[in-house]
Amino acid sequence: MDTRVFKVDPVRPERDIVEYAAGVIRAGGLVAFPTETVYGLGADALNASAVARIYEVKGRPLDNPVIVHISDFNQLDIVASRVPEEAYRLAEKLWPGPLTLLLPRNIKVPRKVTAGLETVAVRMPAHPVALELIRASKNPIAAPSANISGKPSPTRGDHVVRDLYSKVEVILDGGETLYGVESTIINILTDPPKLLRPGAYPVEVIEEILGRRIEVPDFARGLGEAPQALAPGMKHRHYAPNTELILVESIRGDFDAVRGAVTGEAEKLAGKGLKVAIISFKEHSSFYKGVKAQILELGSRENMFEIARNLFHTLRVLDTLNVDAAIVECVEERGLGLAIMNRLRKASSKRIVLP
Ligand code: TXA
Ligand code: MG
């Protein structure tokens, strides 16, 4: 298939490009577009066969439902059969933005979208290109992240081109995305509400708005798997680079011990004749000077926003280095750190957990 790639102004998207892409969506085609979190692969959310193609193109397991994106509060009635008061309260404060809410499914939403579940995941993205595309398409847009299933999510137009060129009709390249990790997914239909996936909005922010605690199950921390009925998508391997990735973390948050263990592991692998990379932070690079490893920096230890933003790109860069394995340091599991640790745990093939 011919794929048309358009560079698009992320702040004031060109009308003619948006109109063209919206025409493709209305005709049942697929358009990859930037959001403030990661790039999405969009189809008309009310067109079951268009949505079926999303699964095909991504190689996505059929039991992994996709998020429906809206541009306007009026569209809530098209996708949900009911909007609980707490959902409204969160949406009013945090939409448009990186928050996804589980709502009871409206029967207009094809089962393909929700993978047979009676709930639908809904979000209103904040990115001008995403909002304009939904508006011009006239319907809500179903969109998972625009990567091949299991691979790191795309945070730049060229990531999407690499994964989806010749498989979709249109790729809108709006440059680098702002947050670099996906939206926060909350189930407010349970008591207490549950975090299904940590993301760009810290769970602490959402707890403050609701004035009550949100349960953070182990699978939301990237440990273990979600029960099938609750969130099918959470059980599949995600975000993984092709390179073997080893994560070192510490239960007590002893970061000196973490650096020591990273060094030890790197020297052990290098001693076996393997080529090794270490994924670390600006402040720690000098610490690893004597170690036989290539160093990649995620950003400053003090800046979780920067780390989140560089995370998926760094995992993709890792695969171009031709190393046999990479070792990555943990971050503190607080604020954005919860989302970062979730992604790192799911991306890694081995974990070393220190006390
Ligand atoms: O930031 C984002 O959310 C990005 C951009 C493109 O909007 N989208 C995204 O989609 O991350 P995706 O498909 O990569 O992740 C969607 C997650 C999956 O883990 C899926 O299991 C979950 O949302 N999900 C969707 N519908 C659900 C439902 N009805 N119940 C439980 N989980 C659901
Ligand atoms: Mg994804």
Side-chain angles (χ1 to χ4, degrees), residues 47-207:
N47 180 337
S49 55
V51 173
R53 250 192 78 215
I54 291 180
Y55 287 83
E56 244 169 69
V57 159
K58 280 186 55 108
R60 187 181 179 90
L62 291 173
D63 66 352
N64 192 1
V66 301
I67 296 173
V68 174
H69 298 69
I70 59 174
S71 57
D72 191 303
F73 278 88
N74 294 327
Q75 285 178 323
L76 266 178
D77 295 336
I78 308 173
V79 296
S81 63
R82 180 175 65 84
V83 182
E85 188 271 332
E86 281 190 315
Y88 257 121
R89 235 194 301 156
L90 287 177
E92 261 179 354
K93 283 246 161 64
L94 300 179
W95 280 356
L99 169 73
T100 297
L101 294 170
L102 247 57
L103 298 171
R105 176 181 78 104
N106 187 311
I107 49 164
K108 282 187 202 141
V109 177
R111 287 181 169 280
K112 225 41 296 141
V113 172
T114 65
L117 294 177
E118 283 315 317
T119 53
V120 58
V122 185
R123 96 171 182 101
M124 190 189 292
H127 197 294
V129 174
L131 285 173
E132 289 301 319
L133 180 66
I134 301 163
R135 279 187 199 121
S137 302
K138 308 275 199 270
N139 271 348
I141 290 182
S145 50
N147 52 289
I148 295 296
S149 208
K151 295 288 141 207
S153 303
T155 54
R156 302 178 181 204
D158 56 287
H159 297 165
V160 183
V161 169
R162 177 147 304 202
D163 280 15
L164 300 181
Y165 192 80
S166 83
K167 295 183 172 155
V168 302
E169 281 83 356
V170 174
I171 296 172
L172 299 179
D173 180 349
E176 201 180 333
T177 61
L178 179 66
Y179 290 104
V181 289
E182 296 88 342
S183 62
T184 305
I185 309 181
I186 304 278
N187 186 354
I188 29 83
L189 304 172
T190 57
D191 189 13
K194 262 201 191 82
L195 179 70
L196 297 186
R197 179 180 70 187
Y201 274 142
V203 69
E204 294 90 338
V205 170
I206 295 161
E207 283 179 325

Side-chain angles (χ1 to χ4, degrees), residues 142-305:
S145 50
N147 52 289
I148 295 296
S149 208
K151 295 288 141 207
S153 303
T155 54
R156 302 178 181 204
D158 56 287
H159 297 165
V160 183
V161 169
R162 177 147 304 202
D163 280 15
L164 300 181
Y165 192 80
S166 83
K167 295 183 172 155
V168 302
E169 281 83 356
V170 174
I171 296 172
L172 299 179
D173 180 349
E176 201 180 333
T177 61
L178 179 66
Y179 290 104
V181 289
E182 296 88 342
S183 62
T184 305
I185 309 181
I186 304 278
N187 186 354
I188 29 83
L189 304 172
T190 57
D191 189 13
K194 262 201 191 82
L195 179 70
L196 297 186
R197 179 180 70 187
Y201 274 142
V203 69
E204 294 90 338
V205 170
I206 295 161
E207 283 179 325
E208 202 170 304
I209 295 171
L210 289 183
R212 64 171 173 146
R213 197 180 67 80
I214 291 170
E215 192 186 323
V216 178
D218 275 353
F219 68 80
R221 298 175 56 211
L223 303 167
E225 292 179 345
Q228 175 90 18
L230 183 68
M234 315 286 156
K235 81 187 169 76
H236 301 287
R237 180 119 193 264
H238 259 85
Y239 319 118
N242 298 323
T243 310
E244 187 190 345
L245 185 66
I246 302 164
L247 169 64
V248 181
E249 50 178 287
S250 156
I251 294 168
R252 271 192 283 127
D254 184 344
F255 297 106
D256 289 335
V258 167
R259 282 187 299 177
V262 170
T263 305
E265 189 68 14
E267 280 169 347
K268 189 181 91 191
L269 295 174
K272 288 186 193 162
L274 298 180
K275 279 188 258 162
V276 183
I278 293 175
I279 303 178
S280 178
F281 312 102
K282 217 172 275 165
E283 294 84 351
H284 293 182
S285 285
S286 59
F287 183 90
Y288 297 115
K289 232 185 220 135
V291 185
K292 213 175 142 213
Q294 295 194 57
I295 310 294
L296 290 175
E297 285 175 13
L298 286 169
S300 166
R301 261 218 81 79
E302 308 300 319
N303 189 343
M304 288 290 189
F305 189 83

